Amino acid sequence: AQSVTQLDSQVPVFEEAPVELRCNYSSSVSVYLFWYVQYPNQGLQLLLKYLSGSTLVESINGFEAEFNKSQTSFHLRKPSVHISDTAEYFCAVSEMNTGFQKLVFGTGTRLLVSP
Amino acid sequence: GAGVSQTPSNKVTEKGKYVELRCDPISGHTALYWYRQSLGQGPEFLIYFQGTGAADDSGLPNDRFFAVRPEGSVSTLKIQRTERGDSAVYLCASSSGTDPYQETQYFGPGTRLLVL
């Protein structure tokens, strides 16, 4: 069975600094990869996803993630964070043999951006 | 348009009681998912519906948990003989159902269940 590891439970960072949120996964088959974000008092929403093609994927608000198959990683990065990026970020995988998008989530990383 | 809605937003019950949690998916979405999120954890898959049928219920923890979607729209998650360990946020998500692997799941705000 697949699993997702997000080693950092909390990442504090100053505004305008770069940030990387780490995600590693384990699976015996090929996977699709996702990052979801949960802003305070809001529901989960998709940030970006890797399905196929270019291993570097980007979101509309400046985040990017790179699929590294050899290292089984899908780290999320942003070169300059804003206060509004404060949220909890969840990495998720879905194996390609389940018949549907059966998401398995990591435990989440809380990004705290301070002025 | 309207997103996924869940009612109630909060539910407090006593150990041993029966509860029902409701999910209204985005109109036209044929795929519906239930997840459970315990404190400090990520969401955990419970069950997946395609239309009216439960296509995969492998995540339901035991036979006290049951979910239905009789008309292919609204879904109800039912928990019998609740236990304190059932306390969690129950999330519902829906997707269009046209591309089972690649489409986006849209999540509701969740129902926070507390079993005393």
Side-chain angles (χ1 to χ4, degrees):
Chain A
Q2 74 270 38
S3 65
V4 178
T5 302
Q6 293 181 252
L7 286 175
D8 304 308
S9 60
Q10 190 164 291
V11 173
V13 65
F14 289 109
E15 192 175 20
E16 298 183 7
V19 71
E20 179 179 79
L21 307 184
R22 295 179 294 167
C23 172
N24 288 86
Y25 69 93
S26 172
S27 176
S28 57
V29 302
S30 296
V31 297
Y32 297 111
L33 295 153
F34 307 81
W35 275 98
Y36 277 83
V37 59
Q38 188 168 31
Y39 297 104
N41 300 315
Q42 294 187 30
L44 275 168
Q45 50 188 284
L46 181 67
L47 185 63
L48 47 75
K49 59 185 176 183
Y50 170 75
L51 301 176
S52 64
S54 172
T55 57
L56 184 66
V57 291
E58 299 178 349
S59 72
I60 58 173
N61 59 349
F63 282 93
E64 64 179 31
E66 186 158 22
F67 169 48
N68 187 319
K69 188 174 182 179
S70 63
Q71 297 190 6
T72 60
S73 68
F74 192 54
H75 301 330
L76 183 69
R77 295 187 292 262
K78 189 170 185 180
S80 176
V81 294
H82 303 290
I83 297 285
S84 60
D85 292 324
T86 293
E88 186 141 26
Y89 292 79
F90 292 92
C91 181
V93 301
S94 174
E95 292 184 327
M96 293 187 186
N97 63 351
T98 56
F100 68 100
Q101 194 182 98
K102 189 174 184 178
L103 293 175
V104 173
F105 286 87
T107 52
T109 297
R110 189 172 299 276
L111 177 64
L112 298 170
V113 183
S114 54
Chain B
V4 178
S5 62
Q6 293 185 246
T7 54
S9 54
N10 290 279
K11 176 71 176 178
V12 181
T13 191
E14 293 179 344
K15 180 175 177 296
K17 298 290 188 182
Y18 167 84
V19 297
E20 289 189 351
L21 311 179
R22 177 187 167 109
C23 172
D24 281 85
I26 292 172
S27 177
H29 279 190
T30 61
L32 186 144
Y33 315 76
W34 283 98
Y35 295 84
R36 178 170 70 174
Q37 186 173 16
S38 301
L39 196 61
Q41 302 297 315
E44 176 188 22
F45 169 80
L46 295 178
I47 188 170
Y48 160 65
F49 286 91
Q50 178 57 256
T52 59
D56 187 320
D57 64 357
S58 61
L60 295 178
N62 52 59
D63 60 7
R64 295 187 298 106
F65 288 75
F66 190 71
V68 296
R69 195 185 186 201
E71 298 178 357
S73 178
V74 171
S75 177
T76 305
L77 179 65
K78 308 181 181 197
I79 310 175
Q80 298 178 322
R81 304 183 303 279
T82 52
E83 300 177 357
R84 292 193 181 88
D86 298 335
S87 297
V89 177
Y90 289 82
L91 300 171
C92 176
S94 73
S95 62
S96 65
T98 56
D99 189 335
Y101 282 113
Q102 301 194 3
E103 59 198 26
T104 296
Q105 291 186 30
Y106 296 89
F107 282 79
T111 292
R112 188 175 302 273
L113 175 67
L114 177 61
V115 182
L116 300 176

